[in-house]
Amino acid sequence: VQLVESGGGVVQPGGSLRLSCAASGFTFSTYAIHWVRQAPGKGLEWVAVISYDGYNTYYADSVKGRFTISRDNSKSTVFLQMNTLRSEDTGVYYCAKGSSGNYFDAFHFWGQGTMVTVSS
Amino acid sequence: EIVLTQSPGTLSLSPGERATLSCRASQSVSNSYLAWYQQKPGQAPRLLIYGATRRATGIPDRFSGSGSGTDFTLTISRLEPEDFAVYYCQQYGSSPLYTFGQGTKLEIK
């Protein structure tokens, strides 16, 4: 199992960024995928999840209405479109998955993360 | 939303000692859907325990989890030098909303 995030960088407040999570080593289309973030020196915060088929998505209240999670099963990739970025969105963004296909599962596998910095 | 409170914030111990980390939930965690993660500086979190008591693949048996309802514990029986890190608990029972505790830093005394 491998999860590889990309797309991080520096963006001004109010700007947008799209993160990608490229997956391999498992049947991608049968697993929900999560995004989790970590502000510098802080703890972990779950951000969003997308169902295996892309029809169901859920978000943390802190990003609802600003972030959109999507997936392309033909490319084994999950995306996180981040709009109206704020300084408090700064941090490392990880994608993660469980060992089963359902929501009631711990995060058994993690990517290495991609850094997002929101600053003027 | 379930709030998880971890204690202590920092734990100072020596290699070979026993570590006991606590995680308390603001309401009962369904089906003991409680996990523990270890994170070292510059690395992604690593799953240690899921289902409150089940060790993840490749995790040494010095790590064990216990508890149910609102009170959970991670125990490291004999600390190895590589165990000094930050530990997080997480509930995944009120899915699809997931919450983490604030973390316990385990440092070398």
Side-chain angles (χ1 to χ4, degrees):
Chain A
V1 173
Q2 193 169 16
L3 300 169
V4 179
E5 303 92 337
S6 62
V10 180
V11 60
Q12 292 187 338
S16 298
L17 210 56
R18 188 173 89 151
L19 306 183
S20 299
C21 170
S24 60
F26 63 99
T27 307
F28 180 77
S29 61
T30 63
Y31 287 88
I33 301 292
H34 302 263
W35 285 98
V36 178
R37 68 183 180 182
Q38 186 170 36
K42 303 298 184 182
L44 301 168
E45 179 188 18
W46 173 78
V47 172
V49 62
I50 186 166
S51 61
Y52 68 97
D53 56 5
Y55 283 110
N56 295 295
T57 58
Y58 301 93
Y59 300 91
D61 287 344
S62 58
V63 306
K64 201 172 294 182
R66 299 188 299 123
F67 289 12
T68 302
I69 188 171
S70 62
R71 67 190 295 157
D72 183 342
N73 282 350
S74 69
K75 296 182 179 179
S76 298
T77 301
V78 169
F79 304 99
L80 186 68
Q81 178 66 44
M82 305 186 295
N83 297 331
T84 319
L85 283 162
R86 306 166 179 167
S87 58
E88 55 263 38
D89 295 318
T90 293
V92 177
Y93 284 70
Y94 299 98
C95 59
K97 68 175 281 295
S99 64
S100 68
N102 66 60
Y103 294 123
F104 297 97
D105 197 0
F107 300 170
H108 289 248
F109 301 98
W110 297 68
Q112 85 290 348
T114 188
M115 182 69 199
V116 172
T117 303
V118 183
S119 173
S120 55
Chain B
E1 177 183 335
I2 297 178
V3 176
L4 300 178
T5 302
Q6 294 185 239
S7 62
T10 302
L11 185 57
S12 300
L13 293 170
S14 300
E17 291 193 293
R18 181 185 185 90
T20 302
L21 287 67
S22 174
C23 177
R24 178 162 291 178
S26 59
Q27 54 188 282
S28 184
V29 176
S30 303
N31 300 109
S32 293
Y33 285 150
L34 192 286
W36 290 92
Y37 299 85
Q38 177 194 67
Q39 188 178 34
K40 298 179 180 179
Q43 296 184 17
R46 177 176 71 147
L47 178 66
L48 300 174
I49 300 288
Y50 64 101
T53 62
R54 303 179 68 175
R55 270 190 302 277
T57 302
I59 301 304
D61 60 7
R62 64 179 181 274
F63 291 91
S64 64
S66 63
S68 63
T70 60
D71 289 298
F72 299 88
T73 300
L74 173 69
T75 301
I76 311 172
S77 58
R78 294 175 311 279
L79 285 166
E80 298 287 343
E82 62 267 27
D83 298 336
F84 293 91
V86 179
Y87 292 83
Y88 296 95
C89 60
Q90 177 211 26
Q91 70 80 26
Y92 52 97
S94 64
S95 301
L97 297 179
Y98 311 81
T99 50
F100 291 90
Q102 82 280 15
T104 289
K105 182 180 181 180
L106 178 56
E107 64 177 23
I108 300 177
K109 187 174 182 179

